[in-house]
Amino acid sequence: LVEIRHGDGVYVKDYLDSGCLELLPALMRSGGGFNIEIMRGVLDLRRLILPDMAYQAALNRTGEDLAAMEGVIRSAAISLNDRDMALYRLIARASKNIPFLIVLNFFNNSGLVDELLTLYFADPANVERTTRFYGDIFEAIKGRKPDRAREVMLDLLVYAEAKTMEFLKEKSS
């Protein structure tokens, strides 16, 4: 966001023209709390990317991918937050689309996903809904049903997005 022109000075760039993913965590936290509009945009982005990631995972997955997913889903040794992020990462890997994985890693590593998952999983209804999702998405990917995988992913994202926005509005009030 800063351009250094040798012999001419330092110039601040417009973040809308030159910003990248690394800027999003700061924008999501602008104003002291969560910036609802930026968060809504991030959730929109997830809703655009993740269903296609699941679609491609159903087409491209291997037996190894399935074994890893099943292991994460069945593991009681890891927290819900870690299980959720690990499963999404495994779905991204199974898609064989490296940019999906890199974008997902960025969000998972930003710290915000963990914080939002903690809020989300505080509601037992969300835990139940997400646990059901794990089984449904696994079966769609295992069965090589890309349209079903896309549908399952989109359904959960729409549900989770609504719940997340409720939490964020409450928290910013």
Side-chain angles (χ1 to χ4, degrees), residues 27-126:
L27 290 174
M28 287 188 268
R29 289 283 191 185
S30 62
F34 284 106
N35 181 312
I36 299 294
E37 290 309 309
I38 297 294
M39 284 303 304
R40 189 181 327 274
V42 168
L43 294 172
D44 287 347
L45 180 62
R46 280 176 43 100
R47 197 172 357 96
L48 290 170
I49 292 173
L50 297 185
D52 282 337
M53 181 181 80
Y55 181 95
Q56 287 188 23
L59 293 175
N60 300 322
R61 59 80 175 160
T62 64
E64 256 182 34
D65 294 325
L66 291 175
M69 283 182 222
E70 191 168 29
V72 165
I73 290 168
R74 293 181 186 272
S75 176
I78 58 176
S79 72
L80 281 171
N81 289 12
D82 289 343
R83 182 180 306 149
D84 198 72
M85 288 189 286
L87 181 60
Y88 278 90
R89 194 174 309 108
L90 290 169
I91 293 169
R93 282 184 182 272
S95 77
K96 309 301 185 239
N97 184 317
I98 300 301
F100 281 159
L101 186 57
I102 290 171
V103 169
L104 189 68
N105 284 341
F106 166 75
F107 285 112
N108 286 351
N109 296 335
S110 72
L112 290 169
V113 171
D114 195 51
E115 185 175 352
L116 293 173
L117 286 174
T118 299
L119 289 171
Y120 176 79
F121 285 133
D123 183 339
N126 295 341

